[in-house]
Amino acid sequence: MSKQYLTSHTIDDAHITDIFSLAVTSTEIISASGSSNLKVHSTTNPDYPVKQTLERAHKLGCHHLATSKNGTKLASAGFDGEVKVWAVQDELWTEEGTIVGAAFFAQQLSYKYGNKAGEIWAIALSEDGHYLASTTYDGRINVWDCLDGRRKIREYETKGSYGMAIDLSVDGRFTASGHENGGVYIFNNDSGRLLHSLPGLVKPVRTVTFSPGCKLLAAAGDAKVIALYDVNSGEQVANLIGHGAWIFSLDWSDTGEYLLSGAFDGKAKVWSIDQRACVATHTETERTIWSVKWLPKTGKNEGFAIAGANRSTSFYREATGG
């Protein structure tokens, strides 16, 4: 059974360059781009007005954002190699501090393609914002304590391939990473050991995400396929096929019933996990979608946002029959 989503609003020219990352809280959506500012829009108003601009957050732009599930912490990773941690004070984001030892990428800017992506690339925050996990150019996974001086407390080793994606399960038990060589790994945070090295994707993995119930892991990238894995067994339980281009972003709905994906060709898709099938496809633009996010649910209706190379953020809401 298909679902229908209608465009509810578009913020044209939300940034002056590509929008690389979106993050959400229960009342806000935050966007980051190749420009130095981060923008915070309210999701409680149908016009999505700007609530706050974090000016000069990253002088060379920002490639990844992450928010804690409880909405108290925000992390931003810049092209200068710096990662900033932000906290809510009086309903506004204020800079809490910087993670030390991340400023590596700035030294590599003279390379035509940036041979190394820096000490920190992809980032994820724990549910309460206590911990931040990050990937590196040489395949390591680092975990940082945001409440204790933002110091590194753990390091996981993989096979040395550039870490392109990372996620922390909402229950805090697992860390997952996706790598340039197609590797996908799940680590047990309690034991500090590798739990599964997952098969199935042989091309770069650009996005990984745990389901809300922490039972499934979705991974996707240049293979144009979304692989679903059972977290406990490590078994690949499904392939979601339908994208015709590299997949850059995935996000689970709050209930875990649906998975949202965005791709290089400008197509966003909604997948039913029960049906193992695509139930909606939207082409807002033919330009790359870098990031997709489900929005906080309003009443019975669910919605999502997409952003990317067209420098705009588009919002969709589920069509109702009434």
Side-chain angles (χ1 to χ4, degrees):
M1 184 180 72
S2 64
K3 292 171 72 71
Q4 187 176 8
Y5 295 86
L6 304 176
T7 306
S8 61
H9 190 72
T10 297
I11 304 171
D12 292 318
D13 298 316
H15 289 261
I16 60 173
T17 65
D18 289 27
I19 300 171
F20 293 119
S21 188
L22 298 173
V24 297
T25 69
S26 60
T27 59
E28 299 171 340
I29 184 165
I30 304 109
S31 56
S33 72
S35 64
S36 61
N37 297 343
L38 306 181
K39 292 190 177 180
V40 183
H41 289 260
S42 170
T43 55
T44 61
N45 184 312
D47 291 329
Y48 302 97
V50 175
K51 181 178 178 181
Q52 185 182 4
T53 299
L54 302 176
E55 295 185 354
R56 295 179 293 279
H58 294 278
K59 59 186 177 182
L60 298 180
C62 175
H63 51 80
H64 281 89
L65 293 173
T67 47
S68 59
K69 191 73 174 176
N70 67 4
T72 62
K73 285 283 197 298
L74 165 69
S76 56
F79 285 103
D80 56 0
E82 190 173 62
V83 173
K84 291 186 176 181
V85 179
W86 311 76
V88 173
Q89 290 185 3
D90 299 324
E91 299 186 358
L92 293 174
W93 293 104
T94 60
E95 186 180 337
E96 198 171 59
T98 301
I99 290 183
V100 177
F104 183 89
F105 185 62
Q107 302 171 25
Q108 303 299 320
L109 289 178
S110 60
Y111 286 88
K112 184 177 179 181
Y113 296 109
N115 291 341
K116 296 183 178 180
E119 181 67 13
I120 292 183
W121 184 247
I123 54 174
L125 280 168
S126 62
E127 187 276 337
D128 58 1
H130 190 159
Y131 302 105
L132 182 143
S134 64
T135 65
T136 70
Y137 66 90
D138 59 0
R140 287 173 293 119
I141 311 301
N142 294 322
V143 181
W144 314 78
D145 190 329
C146 295
L147 301 185
D148 185 12
R150 293 168 297 282
R151 63 186 181 89
K152 187 163 73 172
I153 60 170
R154 180 165 286 173
E155 185 175 293
Y156 296 120
E157 294 283 347
T158 66
K159 293 183 178 179
S161 176
Y162 173 14
M164 304 183 79
I166 195 163
D167 195 28
L168 287 167
S169 63
V170 71
D171 61 7
R173 294 175 58 205
F174 305 110
T175 299
S177 62
H179 297 260
E180 190 175 28
N181 64 358
V184 179
Y185 302 94
I186 299 178
F187 298 90
N188 184 312
N189 293 335
D190 294 330
S191 66
R193 296 185 176 184
L194 176 68
L195 183 64
H196 300 298
S197 176
L198 302 174
L201 295 172
V202 295
K203 295 183 178 181
V205 176
R206 299 181 183 271
T207 176
V208 294
T209 179
F210 287 103
S211 66
C214 310
K215 294 182 178 179
L216 294 174
L217 178 76
D222 293 10
K224 308 174 188 177
V225 172
I226 302 170
L228 295 181
Y229 300 96
D230 182 287
V231 172
N232 288 321
S233 69
E235 179 185 357
Q236 186 172 347
V237 296
N239 277 332
L240 304 181
I241 299 172
H243 273 294
W246 297 352
I247 301 166
F248 281 102
S249 185
L250 297 172
D251 194 39
W252 292 90
S253 64
D254 278 346
T255 61
E257 295 176 86
Y258 298 99
L259 187 64
L260 176 64
S261 59
F264 182 76
D265 60 0
K267 286 186 171 61
K269 290 180 179 287
V270 178
W271 306 82
S272 166
I273 299 306
D274 284 343
Q275 298 177 44
R276 301 287 201 263
C278 176
V279 293
T281 299
H282 288 273
T283 307
E284 181 69 21
T285 171
E286 293 182 353
R287 304 188 70 183
T288 302
I289 296 175
W290 293 115
S291 188
V292 296
K293 283 291 178 185
W294 289 101
L295 297 170
K297 205 166 185 178
T298 57
K300 293 183 178 179
N301 290 349
E302 60 188 6
F304 59 85
I306 66 172
N310 71 344
R311 307 176 183 182
S312 302
T313 304
S314 296
F315 300 88
Y316 294 82
R317 284 287 176 191
E318 186 178 9
T320 57

